[in-house]
Amino acid sequence: MACMHDHSCEDHNCASDWSLYKNIDLSKASALNESVAGSVKSVFKPWEQRLNSSEGFLESNEGDPELLVFIPFTTDVKIKSISIVGGAEGKSPSKMRAFINRDGIDFSDAQNMTPVQEWDLVENLQGVLEYQTRYSRFQSVASLTLHFPDNFGAESTQIYYIGLRGEATQLKRDVVATIVYEVMPNPSDHKTPTDGGGLSHVE
């Protein structure tokens, strides 16, 4: 659940390097059951500002802890992990369910649909934990919808930060398309590009 590396992320700034914050289309991000309209936009911020609540936070309506957060991207992305910083005194979400490329779903849809993945959350007030995705399922993500059905017993749910780590895929898709195009005119030639040729994972 924590960072998978054998070094301090504070020193190496790895979470910041892989942050998808810059790929989020903030103008179209939205949430259902938010007590203050538009407040969902305040939870998306650079990793190093994850504990900064001066610009506000997302909170559900009193007596109804459920939240549904829609996160569109400016380009397709691959998502490696998700980090959530919730409120204290039972106001942190206790469960998270993820849906991919499902625009416009409501609470009824979210409750009845099978998520791509779901997690039991712990209170992560300092933002030191991240939840790994089943990476093969989180490829070519144009939008991510996160469903938070409940919290740790409070009347409302608070979220101060949603952080996503991964990488954009647009450039790589262009390269793949070029390789396929160049190979296709020779159907009798069974040579294929070497595994990952030119598309290796950047460390």
Side-chain angles (χ1 to χ4, degrees):
M1 219 158 32
C3 183
M4 297 179 292
H5 314 303
D6 57 1
H7 59 247
S8 165
C9 278
E10 294 289 348
D11 296 338
H12 288 71
N13 205 27
C14 57
S16 180
D17 291 344
W18 290 95
S19 171
L20 291 173
Y21 165 70
K22 62 185 177 297
N23 301 105
I24 296 172
D25 189 346
L26 279 178
S27 66
K28 297 178 182 176
S30 61
L32 295 184
N33 198 37
E34 58 181 353
S35 60
V36 177
S39 59
V40 65
K41 292 176 172 56
S42 68
V43 306
F44 303 109
K45 61 194 85 172
W47 183 81
E48 59 272 14
Q49 295 178 26
R50 67 196 183 284
L51 302 182
N52 179 4
S53 59
S54 61
E55 295 183 11
F57 54 90
L58 172 63
E59 184 168 19
S60 69
N61 286 301
E62 191 76 15
D64 185 358
E66 194 172 13
L67 283 168
L68 192 66
V69 178
F70 175 67
I71 310 167
F73 299 97
T74 56
T75 184
D76 285 5
V77 299
K78 301 177 182 180
I79 301 174
K80 296 174 178 290
S81 65
I82 304 172
S83 179
I84 304 293
V85 177
E89 300 178 343
K91 292 188 175 183
S92 288
S94 59
K95 186 180 286 289
M96 175 171 68
R97 309 169 74 239
F99 303 92
I100 289 173
N101 302 337
R102 295 280 191 170
D103 299 8
I105 64 174
D106 58 21
F107 285 118
S108 177
D109 297 326
Q111 289 160 356
N112 293 320
M113 287 165 44
T114 301
V116 175
Q117 189 173 349
E118 58 185 306
W119 300 260
D120 289 320
L121 307 182
V122 298
E123 292 183 316
N124 180 30
L125 304 183
Q126 299 303 314
V128 294
L129 297 176
E130 58 185 24
Y131 299 89
Q132 305 302 318
T133 65
R134 295 191 182 106
Y135 191 49
S136 62
R137 299 186 182 183
F138 286 78
Q139 311 286 306
S140 299
V141 181
S143 69
L144 175 69
T145 301
L146 297 177
H147 179 214
F148 302 96
D150 208 350
N151 60 20
F152 289 94
E155 286 294 304
S156 64
T157 297
Q158 291 179 347
I159 296 177
Y160 287 82
Y161 171 74
I162 296 177
L164 305 170
R165 278 209 310 135
E167 57 185 317
T169 63
Q170 186 63 50
L171 292 177
K172 294 193 173 186
R173 184 189 298 117
D174 291 344
V175 173
V176 170
T178 302
I179 291 174
V180 171
Y181 177 78
E182 289 172 355
V183 170
M184 281 180 65
N186 302 302
S188 60
D189 184 354
H190 294 293
K191 290 180 182 177
T192 58
T194 55
D195 243 349
L199 305 175
S200 58
H201 181 72
V202 178
E203 296 295 341

